[in-house]
Amino acid sequence: MSDKPDFAEIETFDKTKLKKTETREKNPLPTKETIEQEKQNKNTP
């Protein structure tokens, strides 16, 4: 077994067969306003 990977398939890969996808953030970070709102909600009984 060789230490180096076999790049033969990568070099011959046809990028035109790939589908175009739109990247969307699944779990966006909360905004500063959201954090402040949650802090206020925790402080009220």
Side-chain angles (χ1 to χ4, degrees):
M1 231 175 156
S2 175
D3 289 346
K4 295 183 180 181
D6 181 23
F7 291 108
E9 271 197 54
I10 296 171
E11 291 170 0
T12 60
F13 184 77
D14 186 11
K15 293 180 196 174
T16 60
K17 291 182 180 178
L18 293 173
K19 295 178 186 174
K20 179 70 178 163
T21 59
E22 187 179 319
T23 306
R24 282 187 237 147
E25 188 68 43
K26 263 183 141 178
N27 192 6
L29 295 173
T31 62
K32 187 176 179 181
E33 291 79 20
T34 307
I35 294 171
E36 289 300 321
Q37 207 172 33
E38 286 185 14
K39 283 181 182 177
Q40 288 176 359
N41 289 342
K42 285 183 181 180
N43 293 335
T44 56

